[in-house]
Each structure stands twice: as structure tokens, then as C-alpha cells.
Amino acid sequence: MNANSKASANPDLTRFAWLSIAAAVATILLKGFAWWMSGSVGLLSDALESGVNLAGAIMTLAMLALAAQPPDEEHAFGHGKAEYFASAFEGFLILIAAALIAVASVKRLFSPQELTQVGPAILVSILAALINYAVARILFKVGRKHHSIALEADAHHLLTDVWTSCGVIVAIAAVWLTNWFWLDPAIALLVACNIVWTGWRLLARSAAGLMDSALPQEQHAKLTAILERYRERGASYHALRTKQSGSGGLVSVHVLVPGQWSVRRGHDLLHEIEADIHAELPHLEIITHLEPVEDPASYEGT
């Protein structure tokens, strides 16, 4: 058996988790101040969700630091799956935030309350939403570039916070204009229902990763396109298997060549295939196995 592998680069992404922590602290202070000024249950719920953001960002930092550790004897394929724990934790916290918002909203729905200092409270809440939106865009960009589910989950969480803030701002403005005090908890309740969907998606994606789901279809298509190019040189392939593992992934493939080829020629071909794959998908670890195309045993157990 001839196996070749190449470890993927694992960049340090923890500085982006620190950015998320700083944004969470800033927005907690801003939204807490806005709630103190206005007495709005919507702003209280918004501040609670930012508290959840802070807990999620701290968890993301811890898991990114663990995922960045190099492989060792007990974890030969690295620690990339640690990111799925951060993603699942984020999803779970989002669901908790939705429940807290729903409880506070229902209570206020049956006991409407007049709001105070609405104008300044709205301005402070808008500033907090802008901070979250800017940080979320950065985390999305970096997370997708480096295939970090933890950073993407944190970005999703921040965007749900932005949508929460938008809903709360609309509710407070409507209450201000109409004196319909029930709008404040009603819109906060609708926002809670909306963010439940985001939390559920994060939990489902984390579960899929922990169950060794295959690489996304786009990446799989790139793999097969690269392998197909080698058919013109007398090489084919089968038993292509992939799995996602946090910001990295694993590819295993059997390459079939004419039996009369020398070991050196086959080895050079595998090395070239791996180089081509890494040029397109540098985050992957690749395991190749060379087999003679004429031997029926090459196709057994695959």
C-alpha cells in the first residue's frame, strides 16, 4: 500500500474571537444603558442576547485555541472538530436567548408599560447594532475563507442580534408614535421566533460535522474535476471519500494506474495529484493509495 498525506495549514483565528468578545462587551453596555433610559422590555431582551453573545464568543475563543493545536499521538488528525462544540454552544445559547426574550415579552404583553427617553434609547441601540453588523461581516469573511464553522457560527449569532435590535428599534419607534404600548413586547416576541431558526440551523450543522459529514458539494466538485484530468495520462480513481473536520477536512482516494508502471512513476503521479488538490483546497489533508488498474482485487472492499 502506498499512502501519501500532507497536513493542511491551520491559521491562528483567535484574534477574531477577541474582536467578537470586545464587540459583545461594548453592545452589552450600550443596550443596558438604552434599557435603563427607556424601560423597554424589547431593549432588555436585546441586552440579554448580547450577554449570550459574550458567553458564545468566549467559548469560540477557547475552541479556536484548541483547534489550532497541532496533531499529537492521541489526535493524529488534529483538533479541528473542537470548532463544532463552539458552533453547537452558539446555537444552544441562541435558543436560550429566544426563550428569555419570549418570557419577558409575554409578561409585558399582559402588563403594558409606558416608555421613557425613547429618542436617545433608539440612537444608542442603533450604534450597538452597527457595531455588531460590522464585526459579523468580518467574522463571516474570515470564517468562510478559512472554513471555520466556529467563526461563522459567531457571525450568525451577531447577525441575529442585529435583527433583534432592528425589530426592537421599530417597536420602540412605533410605540413612541402611536402610544400602543403592547407593540413593544409583541415585536420582541416575533423577533424571538425568528432567531430560533438560526439557532436550530447551527445545532443541525454542528451535529452533521460531528457525524463526519462529507465536504460541501462545491469542494467535492473541485476534487473530482482535478482527478478526472489525470485520465488522459492513463490514471483513474475510485473509493473517493471525504469528511469535514472544523476548518479542515480529509480526503481519501484510490488511484488506479497500469500495472507495468514503476513504483517511482506511480509515486510521482500521486505527489502531483496531491499538489494540484492543495492548490485548489489548501485546508485539506489527503491520503492516496496506488493500485494496478488490471487487478480485480483493486476494486474489492471499496
Side-chain angles (χ1 to χ4, degrees), residues 23-301:
V25 171
T27 54
I28 287 172
L29 295 176
L30 289 170
K31 292 177 182 180
F33 181 57
W35 164 66
W36 178 78
M37 286 192 296
S38 66
S40 166
V41 68
L43 286 174
L44 172 60
S45 301
D46 209 9
L48 286 174
E49 188 177 356
S50 290
V52 173
N53 287 350
L54 177 58
I58 293 173
M59 178 66 168
T60 296
L61 174 63
M63 292 300 99
L64 284 175
L66 178 58
Q69 293 183 10
D72 54 39
E73 290 185 2
E74 295 184 359
H75 306 89
F77 293 101
H79 303 78
K81 282 194 174 183
E83 291 199 30
Y84 290 113
F85 292 101
S87 176
F89 188 63
E90 287 272 4
F92 181 66
L93 289 179
I94 288 176
L95 295 181
I96 291 179
L100 293 174
I101 293 170
V103 170
S105 299
V106 170
K107 289 181 179 179
R108 184 61 65 85
L109 194 61
F110 289 101
S111 301
Q113 180 178 315
E114 185 176 356
L115 306 183
T116 60
Q117 301 187 68
V118 174
I122 288 177
L123 291 178
V124 172
S125 187
I126 289 175
L127 176 59
L130 290 175
I131 291 174
N132 276 337
Y133 180 78
V135 174
R137 296 300 302 172
I138 293 173
L139 296 185
F140 262 129
K141 182 178 180 180
V142 175
R144 287 170 177 168
K145 178 180 178 181
H146 296 289
H147 307 278
S148 172
I149 188 174
L151 286 181
E152 285 192 49
D154 209 10
H156 275 296
H157 199 165
L158 288 177
L159 281 184
T160 63
D161 202 354
V162 171
W163 284 113
T164 299
S165 297
C166 290
V168 168
I169 290 169
V170 170
I172 295 175
V175 172
W176 192 18
L177 294 173
T178 65
N179 286 328
W180 294 349
F181 301 120
W182 58 269
L183 279 176
D184 178 28
I187 293 185
L189 191 59
L190 290 175
V191 171
C193 294
N194 179 61
I195 67 175
V196 165
W197 174 242
T198 298
W200 174 253
R201 287 174 58 195
L202 285 176
L203 287 173
R205 185 177 178 188
S206 301
L210 291 172
M211 292 297 292
D212 287 339
S213 61
L215 293 176
Q217 184 60 39
E218 179 185 355
Q219 296 182 33
H220 192 274
K222 289 182 178 180
L223 278 173
T224 55
I226 292 171
L227 293 169
E228 286 293 333
R229 292 202 299 260
Y230 284 86
R231 291 190 184 276
E232 298 179 359
R233 297 170 55 179
S236 59
Y237 69 95
H238 69 162
L240 175 61
R241 300 180 178 91
T242 69
K243 73 172 182 177
Q244 187 75 42
S245 181
S247 60
L250 176 66
V251 176
S252 173
V253 62
H254 292 199
V255 178
L256 303 165
V257 299
Q260 67 269 24
W261 279 25
S262 66
V263 173
R264 179 70 182 184
R265 184 177 179 182
H267 176 271
D268 289 345
L269 180 75
L270 293 183
H271 183 76
E272 188 175 346
I273 291 173
E274 292 172 6
D276 284 350
I277 293 175
H278 273 289
E280 291 284 336
L281 302 164
H283 65 289
L284 298 180
E285 181 168 351
I286 307 164
I287 298 176
T288 53
H289 176 65
L290 193 67
E291 296 176 317
V293 68
E294 305 90 349
D295 188 354
S298 298
Y299 304 88
E300 295 178 358

